Amino acid sequence: MAMYSRTAVANLLCASTASLARTPLAAPRLLLPAVRSLHASAATMAPRKRKVFTYENLNPHVKQAEYAVRGELAIRAEALRKTLDSDQASTLSFDKIVNCNIGNPQQLGQQPITFLRQVSSLLEYPALLDDRNRDAALKLFPADAIDRAKTMSKAIGSLGAYSHSMGIPAIRNSVAKFMEQRDGFPANPDHIFLTAGASPGVQTILQALIAHDQVGVLVPIPQYPLYTAAISLCNGRAVPYYLDEEGAWTMRADEVRRAIAEARNGGTDVRALCVINPGNPTGNVLSKADMEAIIKLCHKEGLLLMADEVYQTNVYYPKEQPWYSFKHVLCSMGGDVAKEVELVSFHSISKGMIGECGRRGGYFEVVNVDPRTIEELYKIASISLCPNVQGQVAVDIMVNPPQAGSESYDLYNTEMTHLYESLKRRAEKVAAALNQLEGVQCNRADGAMYLFPKITLPQRAIEAAEEAGKEPDAFYTLALLDATGVCTVPGSGFLQRPGTFHFRSTFLPPEDELDGFIARLSKFHKEFFDKYRG
Ligand code: DCS
């Protein structure tokens, strides 16, 4: 490896900035900001004696950001997994880690949707789409998967090429059509951005929105920690509003108003409201009336509505609790509200029955948003060049699956229905088992992939947690992990009303392992309570 002394590097920098200074472009007012700062630092550069990329020197907003889904519990689970792989495995009383800390269905054995993988595979290896190889391809793939891959191949070109930064136009058209059918209102493909999962979409919006350090963004408590973490990275302020646990974790407009008033009194410039529907970690599905109240509130208070709708197909009681998109409810309200409320809604391939978390695909749609803002969002997307193309392919299949009558329809439909019914059965079974446990109260999951039981811990357990320097629910979930290999997330990671304790578990373990999972959880819980009940 070539090594340069610090002085040599400093000279190099001086030389390059000096030569820049000789070019007409280099008149200081014309220099790009990055070059300007290079100029300044080269002029004042002293030889460095210390390392620079140290923890102390890091961006404080990076250090402040917390993301419990992959926090202390997940790190401990990783250490235990290593022990299980070593000759120390017999020191543990379980033989595998069950990752219920993260909604990652295929990690827990969920099989991918066949049609999606068939089209993806065909696109990966274009020789299979060559007419001369059709007979060979037909031995492995149904004709409609081949035809679909061919159509997509024409629209995409090579999977190995950068695409349009907002995503492949034909796929954005598919998304727009899907939303039009879903919502009954027009969707403009030029207002749709394909993303590598919902997470980068949320981050892009927050990055553009948080113009200064007093900008506040309302986040539900409990929340999915992407929100507080991303707000922290952008140096904004998370403004908490509490969900109503006794009301099946619904959202109350009055509580949001309280949070806005309190934040504005404290000098926070509240600009957006995040809503997760169906809820993570709560499993709540909002009623249309509550959604209308929230939209009216956004109109009155001048708030951007950020609607996280990644669990829109994980809705288990659609007759009792139908799910509506915010776009549908907003457009249905008509009048000024429909024309004026700014909405960004997010969707993802990671959830639903698709569960393709690792492929990283998703999109967001902007509604009633200033065209110049959309240009700036396009610029941000361009800085990352494009979302990964296979993720975009999966978005296309999610929003435009095989239709009734096509060769792949029956299999597709069977797989989706089977997964959906299974998720619902698992949600019910785990919730019922949790409600049997001493001190545990668990709301039904109307949607999403999680249960978020409230746990009333014995006083002695709370004191033991304090002594160990842990939040009581973190203390409980760490003990659960050590005793059973079941990895969950403490409620403190999602935030919760002070003095209450919860934990979040997915209900994703496979059905044939669920009895064992519940038995281990229940046995641990009883032993924990026996130990600390006092
Ligand atoms: N929004 C919500 C509400 C989520 O639960 C998640 C992921 C995302 C956005 C981002 O997902 P993608 O970036 O993959 O689209 N849920 C995390 C969770 O709580 N467990 O698994 C991941």
Side-chain angles (χ1 to χ4, degrees):
M1 196 171 84
M3 298 288 283
Y4 298 100
S5 72
R6 285 190 198 103
T7 346
V9 173
N11 287 343
L12 247 170
L13 280 175
C14 288
S16 62
T17 46
S19 73
L20 269 175
R22 282 194 298 276
T23 67
L25 244 187
R29 64 197 167 81
L30 290 178
L31 283 177
L32 295 168
V35 177
R36 243 187 343 248
S37 70
L38 183 67
H39 231 58
S41 63
T44 56
M45 189 183 279
R48 284 192 191 284
K49 294 207 176 62
R50 293 179 298 119
K51 287 193 170 181
V52 65
F53 197 36
T54 58
Y55 179 77
E56 293 72 29
N57 278 357
L58 291 184
N59 176 345
H61 310 303
V62 169
K63 291 199 271 186
Q64 267 157 26
E66 287 184 20
Y67 184 69
V69 174
R70 290 202 192 263
E72 183 183 13
L73 267 282
I75 293 165
R76 172 94 188 120
E78 216 26 64
L80 290 171
R81 196 191 315 280
K82 281 193 186 137
T83 309
L84 284 173
D85 287 343
S86 74
D87 55 8
Q88 298 296 303
S90 60
T91 60
L92 300 176
S93 56
F94 48 86
D95 57 12
K96 71 170 178 182
I97 300 292
V98 185
N99 282 100
C100 292
N101 57 318
I102 185 160
N104 194 8
Q106 295 189 21
Q107 185 188 36
L108 291 174
Q110 179 172 306
Q111 291 306 300
I113 298 295
T114 305
F115 185 75
L116 189 151
R117 290 302 184 92
Q118 285 170 333
V119 176
S120 293
S121 309
L122 285 157
L123 284 165
E124 278 297 339
Y125 193 57
L128 290 168
L129 300 178
D130 189 321
D131 284 341
R132 285 165 299 183
N133 296 330
R134 190 165 175 94
D135 288 345
L138 279 169
K139 291 201 173 108
L140 280 173
F141 298 94
D144 60 343
I146 298 173
D147 295 343
R148 176 68 174 272
K150 270 187 158 178
T151 313
M152 291 191 75
S153 175
K154 279 201 196 101
I156 294 171
S158 172
L159 282 191
Y162 294 129
S163 73
H164 188 294
S165 300
M166 288 170 67
I168 292 151
I171 300 182
R172 285 189 279 125
N173 286 338
S174 296
V175 173
K177 258 193 220 145
F178 159 78
M179 282 194 288
E180 285 178 359
Q181 275 167 10
R182 186 193 67 184
D183 299 330
F185 293 96
N188 181 347
D190 292 334
H191 294 173
I192 292 165
F193 288 72
L194 302 185
T195 53
S199 311
V202 168
Q203 286 169 281
T204 297
I205 298 298
L206 290 172
Q207 192 177 26
L209 177 85
I210 298 176
H212 55 78
D213 62 6
Q214 271 133 48
V215 170
V217 178
L218 288 146
V219 292
I221 301 298
Q223 53 125 11
Y224 168 49
L226 162 67
Y227 288 93
T228 44
I231 293 166
S232 181
L233 286 178
C234 297
N235 195 18
R237 297 182 181 181
V239 178
Y241 66 90
Y242 288 101
L243 301 175
D244 179 6
E245 183 163 15
E246 281 66 45
W249 292 116
T250 197
M251 177 175 178
R252 305 275 180 216
D254 276 354
E255 163 59 12
V256 181
R257 271 191 283 273
R258 179 209 58 77
I260 296 172
E262 191 179 301
R264 287 190 174 148
N265 283 341
T268 298
D269 177 6
V270 184
R271 292 193 181 180
L273 168 65
C274 298
V275 182
I276 307 174
N277 182 40
N280 174 9
T282 62
N284 172 266
V285 176
L286 288 173
S287 71
K288 200 172 189 183
D290 283 341
M291 293 171 79
E292 285 168 353
I294 292 159
I295 291 170
K296 278 188 200 146
L297 186 149
C298 287
H299 191 235
K300 179 156 181 284
E301 302 288 344
L303 298 175
L304 168 70
L305 177 55
M306 293 176 66
D308 183 328
E309 299 179 332
V310 300
Y311 297 102
Q312 59 187 265
T313 54
N314 298 101
V315 176
Y316 304 115
Y317 306 95
K319 289 204 181 105
E320 277 169 64
Q321 285 289 350
W323 178 85
Y324 300 97
S325 70
F326 267 103
K327 168 87 177 287
H328 169 78
V329 178
L330 174 67
C331 294
S332 305
M333 287 169 79
D336 289 349
V337 170
K339 278 190 249 135
E340 289 168 8
V341 171
E342 296 156 289
L343 168 71
V344 188
S345 65
F346 304 89
H347 195 12
S348 169
I349 60 166
S350 301
K351 311 298 170 181
M353 273 48 76
I354 304 265
E356 292 279 4
C357 302
R359 262 167 213 273
R360 313 306 295 129
Y363 69 81
F364 64 82
E365 184 200 21
V366 292
V367 177
N368 294 331
V369 167
D370 185 338
R372 293 167 305 168
T373 300
I374 299 175
E375 280 299 314
E376 292 296 308
L377 295 175
Y378 181 21
K379 182 176 77 188
I380 299 178
S382 311
I383 294 170
S384 300
L385 297 160
C386 70
N388 59 306
V389 177
Q390 270 291 22
Q392 299 186 50
V393 167
V395 169
D396 193 76
I397 292 160
M398 173 176 77
V399 298
N400 182 16
Q403 298 301 306
S406 67
E407 188 178 348
S408 294
Y409 178 75
D410 284 345
L411 178 61
Y412 173 82
N413 197 34
T414 307
E415 288 175 338
M416 294 295 273
T417 311
H418 170 81
L419 276 171
Y420 172 82
E421 297 293 346
S422 168
L423 280 169
K424 182 175 169 177
R425 277 194 302 273
R426 284 180 273 170
E428 287 174 352
K429 191 164 178 171
V430 180
L434 286 167
N435 277 321
Q436 294 293 312
L437 304 179
E438 180 182 349
V440 175
Q441 248 181 305
C442 184
N443 278 328
R444 178 177 88 172
D446 287 337
M449 294 180 171
Y450 315 95
L451 293 164
F452 195 60
K454 181 172 177 173
I455 171 164
T456 307
L457 289 166
Q459 187 54 33
R460 280 188 42 216
I462 296 174
E463 285 159 16
E466 222 162 80
E467 244 164 65
K470 308 266 179 226
E471 291 291 336
D473 46 15
F475 183 72
Y476 173 87
T477 48
L478 276 166
L480 170 67
L481 173 63
D482 282 342
T484 64
V486 173
C487 186
T488 57
V489 187
S492 40
F494 303 94
L495 306 180
Q496 54 199 345
R497 276 199 189 272
T500 66
F501 305 113
H502 300 78
F503 66 94
R504 187 191 80 169
S505 177
T506 69
F507 42 79
L508 296 174
E511 268 190 298
D512 58 356
E513 293 176 21
L514 213 54
D515 286 335
F517 167 77
I518 289 171
R520 275 187 284 166
L521 192 81
S522 307
K523 179 170 178 287
F524 158 78
H525 185 86
K526 184 173 180 317
E527 286 169 2
F528 184 91
F529 269 59
D530 285 349
K531 180 170 176 189
Y532 291 107
R533 200 182 291 106

